[in-house]
Amino acid sequence: MGEAEGRDNVEITSWVLLAAATVASAWCAYQASLWNGDQMRGVSSAGVAQFASTRKLSNVNREVVIDVGTYLDYVGADLRGDAALAAFLRAQARPDFKPALEAWIARKASRRAALPTPFALPEYRLPELEEMARLDEKARADIEEANTANENSDGYVLHTVLFALALFFLGGTSQLRRRGPRRAMLVLGSLVLLLTVISVARLPRARAGLLEGRAATSGRRE
C-alpha cells in the first residue's frame, strides 16, 4: 500500500510539473515567434529606409550637377563682363544654392585670398543630403533592433528545447516501475524545469501590442 501510494504521489507530482513545463514551453515558443516578427519588421523597415536613401542620393547628384553648372556659367559670364547673364544666373539659382552663391560673390567682392568655391562654404546645404543621413541612421538603428530581436528569439527557442528536455524526464516517470529510477527521473526533470524557469525569467519579454505600436510608429516616421 505504501509503495502504491508513493507511486501515486510521484505520478501526481510529475503530472503537475508536466503541465507547468508544457505551458512554459508553449509560452517560450510564442515569445520566440513575437521576437521573430519584430526582427522581420526591423529588417523590412531598414530596407525601406535604405531604398529611400538611395532615391535621395539620385536627387542629390542631380542638384549638385545643376549647382555646379550654375556656378560655372556665372563665373564665365562674370569673366566676360556679361552683367545681364550673371544677374540672370544669380536670380535663377536654386533656392538651396542661392545663399552659398551670394556668400561667395560677397567674398569675391571683398577680394579675400584663397577664395573657396561656394560648395565649400557653410551656406551651401543640401536638405536631401541631410535627409539621406537621417534615413541611413534609421536603417542602422532598425538593423540593430532586428539583431537584438533575433538574439532574443534564439534565446527563447533554446529555452523551448530545455523545457522539452524537462518534459522528457518528467514523462519518463510514468514509464518506469522501479521506485529509484522513477524518482531519479522526477528529480532530474524538476531540476531542469526549475533552472530553465529561472533562466527564462531573465530574458526580455515581447508584447504583441508593443510590437504593433513600433510598426505603426515606424510607418508614421516614413
Side-chain angles (χ1 to χ4, degrees):
M1 181 67 178
E3 182 177 353
E5 183 178 355
R7 181 182 178 88
D8 290 341
N9 291 336
V10 169
E11 289 186 354
I12 291 174
T13 302
S14 68
W15 290 342
V16 172
L17 294 178
L18 275 170
T22 301
V23 172
S25 179
W27 185 79
C28 279
Y30 173 67
Q31 284 289 311
S33 176
L34 288 180
W35 283 116
N36 186 61
D38 196 18
Q39 177 195 2
M40 296 299 293
R41 278 184 287 271
V43 172
S44 176
S45 178
V48 171
Q50 197 62 50
F51 178 75
S53 177
T54 302
R55 293 185 61 183
K56 296 290 184 184
L57 178 60
S58 300
N59 295 337
V60 167
N61 291 335
R62 183 175 65 251
E63 291 174 354
V64 169
V65 169
I66 293 173
D67 295 342
V68 170
T70 302
Y71 169 67
L72 293 177
D73 289 343
Y74 174 83
V75 171
D78 185 59
L79 291 176
R80 293 192 304 270
D82 191 343
L85 178 58
F88 174 79
L89 291 171
R90 290 176 66 177
Q92 296 301 317
R94 279 192 330 106
D96 293 328
F97 177 55
K98 186 174 292 187
L101 180 61
E102 294 298 330
W104 181 82
I105 293 173
R107 291 192 178 198
K108 178 175 176 295
S110 65
R111 301 184 181 278
R112 296 184 183 181
L115 183 66
T117 66
F119 311 102
L121 299 179
E123 288 83 358
Y124 185 63
R125 296 178 62 240
L126 291 168
E128 296 277 8
L129 191 61
E130 297 173 2
E131 181 66 11
M132 275 181 57
R134 187 193 71 80
L135 289 170
D136 289 340
E137 177 62 23
K138 179 181 182 303
R140 184 194 63 79
D142 287 339
I143 288 296
E144 287 185 358
E145 290 184 5
N147 290 335
T148 300
N150 181 57
E151 293 175 1
N152 293 334
S153 177
D154 290 344
Y156 276 104
V157 169
L158 173 61
H159 285 78
T160 301
V161 174
L162 294 176
F163 280 125
L165 183 62
L167 287 170
F168 170 78
F169 288 124
L170 294 171
T173 58
S174 61
Q175 304 299 322
L176 299 174
R177 295 184 177 181
R178 299 183 60 181
R179 179 185 302 175
R182 188 168 62 249
R183 289 185 174 178
M185 292 287 281
L186 178 62
V187 171
L188 187 56
S190 301
L191 183 61
V192 173
L193 177 61
L194 176 61
L195 294 178
T196 306
V197 168
I198 294 174
S199 179
V200 80
R202 301 177 179 177
L203 294 178
R205 286 173 288 280
R207 291 176 298 186
L210 176 61
L211 299 182
E212 291 172 359
R214 288 181 184 175
T217 301
S218 176
R220 286 194 297 270
R221 285 203 301 260
E222 287 303 312

